[in-house]
Amino acid sequence: MLKALVCGAGGFIGSHMVKRLKDEGFWVRGVDLKFPQFWETIADDFVVGDLRDSHFCKEIIDRRFDEVYQFAADMGGAGFVFTGENDADIMHNSGMINLNVLDACWKRNVKRVFYSSSACIYPEYNQMDPDNPNCAEDSAYPAQPDSEYGWEKLFSERLFLSFQRNKGIEARVARYHNIFGPFGSWNDGREKAPAAICRKVAMAKDGGEIEIWGDGMQTRSFLFVDECLEGTTRLTRSEWSGPVNIGSDEMVTINQLADMAMDIAGKKLTKKHIAGPLGVRGRNSDNNMIEKKLGWRPNRPLIEGLEKTYQWIESQLT
Ligand code: NAD
């Protein structure tokens, strides 16, 4: 029986990955500071503990896992990452986790290790024009991420690839672009735009208003979690390391995202634009590389995933 370790299995993507691996027939160990908040884990073994502790890492990486997925990080949406208030924690905590997990994998002779990097590594100077952002993989350098979160991710990408070069780890690195779906943060200050907007729309009375950070003309793309897992497992089991974008290339403005949520809800609401942390002006996933290397690219429409997410968030409110 194949064995997998999911670090960050109490979080959004990690908890979905546990389910997927179980459905595929793996024996799965999940590790996190906490159990999943919104659903019961079906991991065969779930250990609550702190991956910043190197002794703990060595204890849980006690066998030669066939696949290790490293999702654990101190992270959140714009309200967590772009205010500057959490920079030290983001850099220190996530850096420590990555250093410890990799070292323990190497000492246990684990080979295949996936690392979840982010589109936040891309330089700010290529993302000023909301209609034409450049996020091709080879545009990452000269580096100028717009957040410490992006800098830590860039450091850790290099860390994983160094362990591949020097220590026999088979690292697989993806740069996720705004992953969303049910069973993720939606009201704790760490939520991302799709969940925040679905919550605001679900809570508003028809004819009322919702607040949008900025003018709403900033562009992004959003990838439903199921397609994220598909890309992640395809990359992990391929013979190629990346880094590669895993994201949708259906770019929308935040105003359009809000309109979609209103259509789903069947509500007409006024958008009130207020000051808030924003991030780069435009971002979209460039999917040429993933198509070329893996023969696959995400292709489901945004509205499909947004409907499922809206319904789940609405169900949380009742
Ligand atoms: P999440 O916050 O839901 O999950 C991360 C998990 O890591 C949390 O459950 C948290 O408790 C756990 N964790 C944090 N510190 C820990 C520690 N010291 N020891 C053990 N566990 C710890 O985030 P997510 O959305 O599931 O993202 C997973 C990964 O993907 C992260 O590395 C994130 O940076 C990356 N990523 C996510 C997105 C996205 O849109 N969701 C985009 C780009 C990159």
Side-chain angles (χ1 to χ4, degrees):
M1 195 181 209
L2 291 170
K3 295 179 289 301
L5 174 70
V6 179
C7 301
F12 167 51
I13 300 172
S15 64
H16 281 271
M17 182 56 94
V18 167
K19 173 154 189 330
R20 177 172 174 128
L21 293 169
K22 283 302 300 166
D23 289 347
E24 289 183 6
F26 275 74
W27 184 92
V28 182
R29 171 173 292 159
V31 185
D32 202 297
L33 286 172
K34 57 177 176 59
F35 289 106
Q37 204 178 335
F38 306 109
W39 51 341
E40 275 296 318
T41 183
I42 53 167
D44 298 279
D45 184 31
F46 194 104
V47 190
V48 171
D50 190 338
L51 293 164
R52 289 171 300 180
D53 174 349
S54 62
H55 298 293
F56 173 70
C57 278
K58 291 198 182 86
E59 273 168 29
I60 52 114
I61 302 178
D62 61 351
R63 62 197 76 190
R64 224 181 137 184
F65 289 98
D66 298 287
E67 295 176 6
V68 170
Y69 293 89
Q70 199 328 63
F71 298 116
D74 204 357
M75 68 92 70
F80 184 76
V81 165
F82 295 119
T83 59
E85 285 164 20
N86 305 300
D87 287 350
D89 283 345
I90 288 170
M91 295 202 91
H92 177 268
N93 295 345
S94 300
M96 289 290 283
I97 293 168
N98 289 319
L99 288 161
N100 288 338
V101 168
L102 256 181
D103 189 54
C105 283
W106 170 56
K107 291 195 168 128
R108 190 59 69 182
N109 204 17
V110 173
K111 296 291 178 204
R112 203 53 67 103
V113 187
F114 171 85
Y115 175 58
S116 48
S117 180
S118 166
C120 289
I121 65 101
Y122 286 114
E124 192 172 15
Y125 56 78
N126 280 335
Q127 301 173 87
M128 306 295 233
D129 176 356
D131 297 322
N132 289 300
N134 176 12
C135 292
E137 285 83 350
D138 63 3
S139 71
Y141 297 95
Q144 196 194 314
D146 69 333
S147 65
E148 300 303 351
Y149 171 74
W151 280 105
E152 189 283 323
K153 288 287 186 197
L154 203 55
F155 165 76
S156 290
E157 280 189 4
R158 302 188 69 97
L159 179 71
F160 274 75
L161 295 171
S162 301
F163 268 68
Q164 162 146 305
R165 212 174 303 126
N166 299 154
K167 296 187 187 281
I169 292 278
E170 294 168 356
R172 299 289 179 266
V173 179
R175 294 172 180 160
Y176 287 161
H177 290 243
N178 290 314
I179 315 303
F180 76 102
F183 307 109
S185 285
W186 61 280
N187 67 346
D188 63 358
R190 290 184 183 238
E191 65 275 18
K192 307 271 188 88
I197 285 178
C198 286
R199 184 197 68 229
K200 289 175 188 179
V201 170
M203 290 178 73
K205 286 215 168 64
D206 196 14
E209 69 176 21
I210 56 166
E211 290 183 342
I212 303 276
W213 289 349
D215 63 7
M217 297 306 286
Q218 62 274 33
T219 53
R220 291 292 184 278
S221 70
F222 302 95
L223 183 70
F224 191 62
V225 63
D226 289 358
E227 284 206 297
C228 166
L229 300 185
E230 182 65 30
T232 299
T233 49
R234 280 175 186 260
L235 173 65
T236 303
R237 294 164 193 169
S238 80
E239 290 314 305
W240 181 57
S241 296
V244 65
N245 292 326
I246 294 188
S248 162
D249 57 6
E250 183 184 343
M251 189 170 78
V252 293
T253 64
I254 298 300
N255 285 333
Q256 287 168 331
L257 182 71
D259 289 340
M260 280 186 180
M262 288 182 219
D263 282 347
I264 293 167
K267 293 182 186 177
K268 280 214 171 328
L269 305 168
T270 309
K271 298 183 206 87
K272 183 182 174 193
H273 295 282
I274 60 163
L278 295 176
V280 293
R281 193 69 184 142
R283 176 170 292 156
N284 195 12
S285 183
D286 182 318
N287 287 346
N288 290 313
M289 178 80 90
I290 194 166
E291 171 118 56
K292 188 167 149 217
K293 295 287 192 177
L294 301 183
W296 175 89
R297 64 195 289 160
N299 61 16
R300 304 306 305 168
L302 169 59
I303 189 80
E304 201 178 276
L306 202 61
E307 268 167 10
K308 292 180 187 155
T309 308
Y310 182 84
Q311 278 152 16
W312 178 75
I313 289 176
E314 199 181 32
S315 76
Q316 297 297 297
L317 288 167
T318 51

